Amino acid sequence: MEIRRGIAVSPGVAIGPALVLDTEGILIPIRSVSTQEVDGEVRRLRAALAEASHLAQEKQRTLSAKLGKEIADIFAAHAGLYEDPILVRDAEALIRANNYSAEYAVSRAVRAIMKRLDAAGSSPLATRLQADFVDLEKQLLILLQGASGQPLSAITEPIIVLAHDLTPSETAILDPKTVHALATESGGATSHTAIMAGALEIPAVVGVGRFLSDISGGDTVIVDGYQGLLILDPDAETLQRYMELRFRDQTTSGLHQVFQKNIPAETKDGVRLHLFGNIEFPGEARHCLDRGADGVGLYRTEFLYVNKSVDPTEEEHFQAYQTVLKELGPDRPVVIRTLDLGGDKFVGMTGLTHHEKNPFLGLRSVRLCLKNQPMFKTQLRAILRASVYGDLRIMFPMVSTAMELRQCKSILREVQEDLEEARIPFKSDIPIGTMIEVPSAAIMADVLARQVDFFSIGTNDLVQYTLAADRNNETVADLYNAADPSILRLLQTVIRAANTAEIDVTICGEMSGEPMYMQLLLGLGVRQFSATPRKIPELKRIVRQLCLADAERVAHEALQLETAREVTSYLREQLRRILPDAPD
Ligand code: PEP
Ligand code: MG
């Protein structure tokens, strides 16, 4: 058994067979075959080995003419590997002994060789050989199952997806009925892949570091999305413990939900807070209601672009917004955030064909909308049309300057005038807000507050841009920390500016779903939180244990501290004082 530690990004526990996606997204399948098919599988294996060897020799011949013998000889070595007696013998034996498919047998045999090479200690030769075997496995899998293998969306058996990385689009198509958990080698706590896993309610751990070479498709693994653990090849005792935990988890979270759903999020001393849900898809509106949310605090509309090759039409936008508003009814606000495309979200879409060296600092979000006004206006028309169906509010993302905010509002006015002329109904008094997620906006919060009806603080980006630490990069995950004193000070500035201007302020980054930060944020003056719907019952439970005076003392103390580590341990200690069973 091996326990690997990563970053817990979506809660829950899952146990099951691994489905391994290699660094280039090729699926290593888990299929076994019937006894009658075994001979056929062996023939398929031999044919693939012969074909791969032939292709490597061909490559050697063409490259030899082009680049000289030395480089071409690399492929001669590859051609030899396909005839390697250990590989051929082991793969065949695995098919015959276990009814494995040819693909699966190749994967197991290659990984067994890699393990032996690992055990032999590191040397330049062993490292090269390992790289050669990785390549060889890939070639064989491509030959056996076609270039792209089985698409992720076609999975029908329950599995746990293990991958080097997954894009938000790849994650979005995972079906929680079959994908019971996921773990990736790379990625950070607030990456959009992580957010996607949360939205789909798939337990997930990211940023685990290298593990794919130690696992084969079909091996049993455990993903612990509470503690951020990936357990390979668990022993019987660990399996038993996690089966019990999974059972408890399923039963208590259901009870929790029913109990918390209809009671208000109110502190012990009677301060009413509002807990909203963050959603990416219209279907999640129901999740918000099931979890007792007071509304939708952030609708990330860019997810309408998931796996689309053309921009959504005005009608598609409209249908999505109308669905959410109708579901939430007239009394629960729905904050629709305009498109936050770019960065790591759906790059390569229409209007986004440019390649940027540093997309998070590039043409992302409102910057892109202001450059691509037809796209922006299409969305704004749909939002305005949908406004008559409920308590809709509009929010602009990633605003960096007061000028940008003015431009966004002026385009919105133009669209309103167009609709008036066309006699298309919309609400005239829609509250307008801005996200505060760029340090320049936080610093200028007093000025921005005069232009809007509400703020929503996007701590995911605010942390990334303040600390210059990529939210997707596990190697800077220690630095990327919402508990950093610089973030606390910025939060204080923004919340004060909002309170002075008497406008609402919500926290909608992942920080708002972290129990540890509840007292701090309440004490700083926040009364509205927006988080993944699944977290709402737990947050409500915590709110009902809080006291405003204590929270203000906690916020005051936390602001005196100098490092993220000190802030974290102080906030944990304070949480444990009111909730002795609080997780670490
Ligand atoms: C944020 O940055 O905190 C936020 C809520 O927006 P997103 O995660 O979609 O960038
Ligand atoms: Mg953001």
Side-chain angles (χ1 to χ4, degrees), residues 190 457-460 462-463 480-484 487-488 491 507-518 520-521 524 529-531 535 539 567 571:
T190 65
I457 309 180
T459 48
N460 302 340
L462 190 61
V463 173
Y480 180 96
N481 196 334
D484 194 88
I487 304 299
L488 270 45
L491 289 175
I507 306 279
C508 68
E510 297 302 292
M511 185 183 193
S512 66
E514 289 284 332
M516 174 180 95
Y517 293 120
M518 295 294 283
L520 167 80
L521 295 171
L524 284 173
F529 298 78
S530 194
K535 296 199 169 164
L539 295 179
V567 172
L571 294 181

Side-chain angles (χ1 to χ4, degrees), residues 279-350:
I279 66 168
E280 286 73 34
F281 301 110
E284 288 179 274
R286 181 101 303 268
H287 294 186
C288 292
L289 295 180
D290 290 345
R291 277 19 192 270
D294 294 304
V296 170
L298 168 65
Y299 179 1
R300 290 183 166 100
T301 57
E302 57 279 2
F303 280 80
L304 280 167
Y305 277 69
V306 166
N307 298 318
K308 283 261 169 65
S309 52
V310 289
D311 285 6
T313 60
E314 181 184 320
E315 201 50 31
E316 284 170 311
H317 278 285
F318 172 74
Q319 290 298 337
Y321 309 149
Q322 191 198 36
T323 305
V324 176
L325 286 157
K326 281 187 168 170
E327 187 85 64
L328 271 285
D331 302 325
R332 289 191 179 82
V334 174
V335 178
I336 299 194
R337 181 175 77 177
T338 60
L339 296 168
D340 181 13
L341 291 161
D344 63 340
K345 283 186 227 171
F346 319 121
V347 208
M349 292 291 150
T350 317

Side-chain angles (χ1 to χ4, degrees), residues 192 337 340 345 364 435 437 458 460-461 471:
H192 290 103
R337 181 175 77 177
D340 181 13
K345 283 186 227 171
R364 177 185 166 189
M435 292 207 50
E437 50 183 345
N460 302 340
D461 278 315
R471 60 194 272 188

Side-chain angles (χ1 to χ4, degrees), residues 80-91:
L81 284 183
Y82 294 110
E83 285 146 25
D84 177 74
I86 306 176
L87 173 71
V88 178
R89 186 199 61 205
D90 286 2

